[in-house]
């Protein structure tokens, strides 16, 4: 039976999602926990690999169960073997041809940026930070130019393995919640470091170093060297993966609460 899982993790202490020879990845922890529950090794496939320090509230994986277990065991039992920074939120049987990565038609990311003079303490490792005031309206105008289908080479990491730099961005929103600036992006797929590179360039716009029209110019020139540096991983969250209802998965809405509630305001 093929099983899909919804995963949440704090990526602060991990080297990223993908398994490593020496361990230390989210995938290593999850596969070890599933293997202990099943009594045999299990390998999982994820919807989107995240980098070191990046978090997830809506990661989705699948695996082929080699043994029979009650459905609740695949989340409740697995969680007993996971560290506190990783949790299985749900488990669901699905069709044998479901694929966590290739069946997905959209991914959603949120970036949390603390914008105040003092560095974060409680939010250390869980939010990006910039000490200088940022112009929200300018960043919103810049973000609007990211919407639609473009060549995102200017926002692509050198080590990116995607076949094409052309992506369709359906959401690129910027808003302020107290001391936080929240960036929300949705697309069918993203390039390596694409979200962090877009955030970095939008921060340049917010600082007044570049006008909002610069974002559109970066899309046209397709040159990573001309964009801003990659922003910190700490504030990035994979908050959702979108699938057709035919797969019968739980509604994978954004699990990260609205920020005022999230910070207890």
């Amino acid at each position: 039976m093929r099983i899909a899982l919804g995963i949440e993790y704090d990526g602060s202490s991990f080297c990223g999602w993908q398994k490593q020879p020496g361990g230390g990845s989210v995938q290593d922890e999850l596969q070890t926990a599933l293997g202990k529950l099943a009594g045999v090794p299990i390998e999982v496939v994820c919807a989107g690999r995240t980098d070191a320090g990046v978090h997830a509230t809506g990661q989705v994986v699948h695996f082929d169960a080699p043994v029979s277990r009650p459905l609740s065991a695949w989340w409740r039992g697995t969680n007993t073997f996971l560290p506190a920074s990783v949790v299985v939120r749900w488990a669901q049987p699905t069709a044998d041809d479901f694929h966590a990565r290739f069946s997905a038609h959209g991914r959603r990311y949120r970036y949390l940026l603390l914008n105040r003079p003092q560095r974060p303490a409680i939010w250390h490792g869980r939010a990006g930070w910039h000490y200088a005031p940022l112009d929200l309206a300018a960043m919103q105008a810049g973000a609007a130019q990211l919407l639609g289908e473009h060549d995102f080479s200017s926002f692509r990491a050198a080590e990116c393995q995607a076949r094409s730099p052309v992506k369709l961005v359906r959401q690129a929103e910027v808003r302020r919640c107290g001391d936080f600036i929240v960036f929300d992006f949705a697309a069918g797929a993203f390039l390596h470091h694409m979200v962090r590179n877009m955030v970095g360039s939008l921060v340049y716009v917010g600082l007044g170093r570049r006008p909002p029209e610069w974002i559109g110019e970066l899309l046209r020139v397709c040159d990573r060297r001309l964009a801003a540096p990659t922003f910190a991983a700490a504030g990035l969250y994979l908050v959702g993966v979108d699938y057709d209802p035919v797969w019968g998965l739980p509604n994978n809405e954004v699990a990260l609460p609205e920020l005022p509630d999230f910070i207890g305001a």
Side-chain angles (χ1 to χ4, degrees):
M1 179 180 294
R2 182 156 290 188
I3 303 289
L5 303 176
I7 311 295
E8 175 181 314
Y9 51 86
D10 176 350
S12 301
S13 61
F14 294 105
C15 62
W17 164 265
Q18 192 168 8
K19 63 181 179 180
Q20 301 294 324
S25 74
V26 181
Q27 185 178 10
D28 288 315
E29 293 288 352
L30 180 59
Q31 291 184 167
T32 298
L34 287 168
K36 289 179 179 178
L37 179 68
V40 294
I42 290 180
E43 292 193 6
V44 303
V45 176
C46 75
R49 292 178 294 181
T50 53
D51 290 332
V54 175
H55 319 291
T57 59
Q59 177 72 273
V60 177
V61 308
H62 82 260
F63 66 94
D64 292 319
V67 295
S68 178
R69 294 285 186 272
L71 185 60
S72 62
W74 289 119
W75 66 270
R76 195 187 304 273
T78 301
N79 285 339
T80 65
F81 299 113
L82 284 170
S85 53
V86 185
V87 68
V88 180
R89 297 181 57 240
W90 52 261
Q92 180 66 40
T94 189
D96 290 343
D97 56 344
F98 170 80
H99 194 285
R101 177 184 175 190
F102 297 123
S103 298
H105 59 76
R107 281 90 173 162
R108 287 170 280 132
Y109 283 90
R110 176 170 292 174
Y111 194 97
L112 302 182
L113 174 63
L114 183 62
N115 184 212
R116 70 182 189 192
Q118 306 82 18
R119 60 175 172 78
I122 291 176
W123 284 89
H124 175 71
R126 294 179 177 85
W129 171 59
H130 201 284
Y131 62 90
L134 297 172
D135 185 333
L136 180 64
M139 289 191 293
Q140 290 172 330
Q145 298 177 62
L146 296 167
L147 292 169
E149 187 174 67
H150 305 283
D151 183 326
F152 282 89
S153 292
S154 291
F155 304 98
R156 181 184 192 178
E159 62 270 27
C160 181
Q161 299 177 356
R163 293 181 180 179
S164 170
V166 177
K167 300 298 175 186
L168 175 61
V169 171
R170 299 190 299 267
Q171 181 186 26
E173 297 179 356
V174 188
R175 56 195 169 93
R176 182 178 287 276
C177 292
D179 287 336
F180 286 85
I181 293 176
V182 182
F183 301 80
D184 283 307
F185 299 99
F190 290 86
L191 303 169
H192 192 195
H193 287 176
M194 178 174 160
V195 174
R196 290 165 60 192
N197 290 336
M198 292 189 299
V199 169
S201 292
L202 289 171
V203 168
Y204 265 34
V205 170
L207 290 169
R209 295 183 185 178
R210 299 287 189 276
E213 296 77 18
W214 178 61
I215 300 298
E217 179 62 23
L218 290 174
L219 291 171
R220 289 188 288 273
V221 298
C222 301
D223 189 339
R224 176 70 190 97
R225 296 171 298 177
L226 301 179
T230 304
F231 219 71
L236 184 57
Y237 295 76
L238 172 60
V239 294
V241 185
D242 300 322
Y243 297 98
D244 191 285
V246 69
W247 300 116
L249 301 186
N251 187 6
N252 203 35
E253 291 296 327
V254 174
L256 194 63
E258 284 300 309
L259 207 57
D261 295 331
F262 198 29
I263 62 176

